[in-house]
Amino acid sequence: VVEVEIIKQKLFPTKGNCVLLSFLGELGPADEYSARVDIEVDSPGPSCVIRSIPLRARSGTARVHAPKDLQTVSLSAPLGKSSQQTLPLKNAGNIDVQLKLKCSDNEDSFSVTPNELTLRVGEEHAIVVSFKAQGNRKCRDSLLTILVLLSGPQYEVSLKGEVTPEDSGKHALPSAAVCGPALTNNVPPILSNKQFVAWGGVTLGRAVQQKLVLRNNSTDATQQLRLLIRGQDQDCFQLQSLFSPEERLTRHGELSIRPREDVTVHLLFAPTRVACMLAKLEIKQSGVRPSQPGVKFTIPLSGYGGTSNIILEDQRKRADGYVATLTDIAVGCVSKVCLCVRNTGSRAAFIKAVAFSDVQTRSLMEPSVISLAPSQFVLKERTQEVRVFVFVLIFLCVYLNLLSI
């Protein structure tokens, strides 16, 4: 049994009950979190803590700055040769960031070094973008994506390469520009009420909807946004359009949000198999062509297919539960009932048995009056059975709850 004791707990920084995806302006210090994991032996009697593991975390804003004159990097080189351009990046946020850099070039004409980079708060580091002139095409275009791990935001820098004659004299000039907010100058001030969307278990063949609220925090500009679901299990997640009478389902869509307006995005999870499923909702300005640089926000989506379904066999069923009958009841004597629990679902269930003297007020029964064995266990799907024994020492009206997780 692993117990976690929270020493200090804070909510993620919010503004108007909306999690800030990205914003400009002065940043305060990062929020500090701390907790502790106590490890104990799972035994019937009293146990002591074997070991405690302290946990610490920081929550803040990731912000990357680059030179204003390098939103588009242009390189040129003679056929068979290469040219390079340095691109300084600065961490202007209030937490350390880990960056993953990649050029979207199928012909390997562009490359970036390094492909991973860690920047501490206030630190600046230069990356090198290279262009190798090859093939028959004179001009080539690509995108340099800079992703803040684990889930964004993602910045994009346009890359342009040109194959020049040997004597043209064209070459890339090293940049001496000072880092400024080029990558965040045109960031849409979009707020979200969730940093991720998670579903619990959903029965196969069914769909469960969740809502995500986006807010345009601008005071004067309407934001045109493009939404797209991507990922390894994108077939199980869909956007539900409420702007058409048939409420069609799709994996992409566009939104127009007026200044200070809130718009609800309806997300549907319909699992097709018993497994954990992952995807992400990408949000980008719809007015920006795919070949143009821009800022992309991602919101992770997760859920799992299949649920457990617990029934008590050979017991009388009512609308609000089951009724178990105790026989040979006498005051001051021990009475016993045996309950046969079956999981007819498609996933294993963790079951905890709790005895209440009053279900409405959730008043627990005294341990001296009733004992349960076992009081908690894992029940596998479909085939396995586990028996729960209840010993009643004094005849009372008892409500036994089986909580399935």
Side-chain angles (χ1 to χ4, degrees):
V1 175
V2 178
E3 296 182 356
V4 180
E5 179 182 350
I6 301 297
I7 302 173
K8 179 182 179 184
Q9 184 178 6
K10 285 186 177 181
L11 296 176
F12 286 101
T14 60
K15 183 176 181 182
N17 295 327
C18 292
V19 177
L20 193 56
L21 289 178
S22 182
F23 61 93
L24 298 178
E26 295 299 324
L27 295 175
D31 289 290
E32 300 285 344
Y33 302 82
S34 61
R36 186 178 69 236
V37 177
D38 291 338
I39 303 176
E40 301 178 355
V41 176
D42 185 6
S43 60
S47 61
C48 60
V49 176
I50 299 175
R51 185 179 179 186
S52 293
I53 303 175
L55 305 177
R56 295 189 181 279
R58 303 178 72 213
S59 174
T61 300
R63 183 181 294 177
V64 180
H65 284 182
K68 295 182 179 181
D69 59 344
L70 287 180
Q71 295 187 51
T72 298
V73 176
S74 298
L75 298 168
S76 60
L79 187 63
K81 296 186 179 181
S82 300
S83 62
Q84 295 180 337
Q85 172 73 64
T86 59
L87 177 63
L89 301 177
K90 182 178 180 179
N91 182 1
N94 58 5
I95 56 173
D96 298 346
V97 294
Q98 184 179 355
L99 306 178
K100 184 175 182 180
L101 303 99
K102 183 180 179 182
C103 294
S104 57
D105 179 21
N106 296 329
E107 299 179 2
D108 296 328
S109 297
F110 293 93
S111 61
V112 60
T113 305
N115 54 18
E116 290 189 358
L117 180 64
T118 299
L119 293 177
R120 297 188 179 276
V121 175
E123 183 181 2
E124 181 179 330
H125 193 283
I127 62 173
V128 178
V129 179
S130 301
F131 169 67
K132 183 177 182 181
Q134 57 185 354
N136 298 324
R137 293 169 52 192
K138 182 179 179 181
C139 298
R140 298 180 185 277
D141 295 313
S142 182
L143 275 179
L144 169 64
T145 59
I146 305 172
L147 174 63
V148 181
L149 299 177
L150 295 170
S151 57
Q154 177 175 293
Y155 305 100
E156 296 176 345
V157 177
S158 181
L159 304 179
K160 294 184 179 296
E162 181 183 359
V163 179
T164 60
E166 287 283 351
D167 56 351
S168 68
K170 283 189 177 182
H171 55 89
L173 296 176
S175 173
V178 178
C179 277
L183 293 180
T184 53
N185 259 352
N186 299 317
V187 175
I190 300 300
L191 309 181
S192 170
N193 68 329
K194 296 180 181 179
Q195 287 187 320
F196 62 89
V197 183
W199 284 260
V202 176
T203 304
L204 298 184
R206 293 187 179 181
V208 174
Q209 183 193 88
Q210 289 211 51
K211 297 177 181 179
L212 175 74
V213 179
L214 299 179
R215 172 179 295 175
N216 178 6
N217 205 42
S218 172
T219 58
D220 54 4
T222 298
Q223 298 293 335
Q224 305 287 340
L225 301 177
R226 183 172 67 247
L227 280 62
L228 177 64
I229 294 178
R230 292 182 184 271
Q232 62 186 40
D233 302 304
Q234 63 184 29
D235 58 313
C236 299
F237 298 89
Q238 291 178 313
L239 291 165
Q240 186 173 14
S241 173
L242 299 181
F243 302 104
S244 58
E246 64 271 15
E247 295 188 2
R248 60 187 178 88
L249 301 178
T250 179
R251 281 195 289 273
H252 59 84
E254 295 195 358
L255 290 177
S256 177
I257 311 180
R258 293 189 295 270
R260 299 294 185 181
E261 182 185 19
D262 291 350
V263 171
T264 302
V265 178
H266 297 262
L267 296 163
L268 213 62
F269 174 53
T272 58
R273 53 198 176 276
V274 180
C276 181
M277 299 169 197
L278 303 171
K280 60 184 178 180
L281 174 65
E282 294 184 351
I283 303 173
K284 191 174 182 180
Q285 285 179 299
S286 59
V288 179
R289 296 195 304 270
S291 60
Q292 288 181 318
V295 179
K296 183 188 299 179
F297 301 112
T298 59
I299 297 179
L301 310 175
S302 64
Y304 62 84
T307 57
S308 58
N309 184 51
I310 304 302
I311 63 172
L312 298 183
E313 294 190 335
D314 303 323
Q315 302 297 334
R316 184 157 51 94
K317 194 176 187 323
R318 297 193 314 188
D320 57 347
Y322 292 83
V323 176
T325 303
L326 295 175
T327 58
D328 302 326
I329 296 174
V331 176
C333 297
V334 175
S335 299
K336 181 177 70 174
V337 63
C338 178
L339 303 179
C340 185
V341 183
R342 181 182 292 273
N343 180 5
T344 62
S346 56
R347 294 187 67 90
F350 172 75
I351 297 175
K352 183 175 182 179
V354 183
F356 296 106
S357 59
D358 189 333
V359 175
Q360 301 299 326
T361 61
R362 294 288 177 174
S363 300
L364 294 175
M365 183 73 69
E366 291 293 334
S368 58
V369 176
I370 186 170
S371 63
L372 310 174
S375 61
Q376 57 186 23
F377 51 91
V378 175
L379 185 58
K380 291 187 177 180
E381 62 275 12
R382 297 189 186 92
T383 56
Q384 191 171 345
E385 297 181 7
V386 174
R387 294 184 178 274
V388 179
F389 298 94
V390 180
F391 300 87
V392 182
L393 303 183
I394 302 176
F395 173 57
L396 292 169
C397 181
V398 178
Y399 302 91
L400 178 64
N401 268 23
L402 291 178
L403 309 177
S404 173
I405 299 177

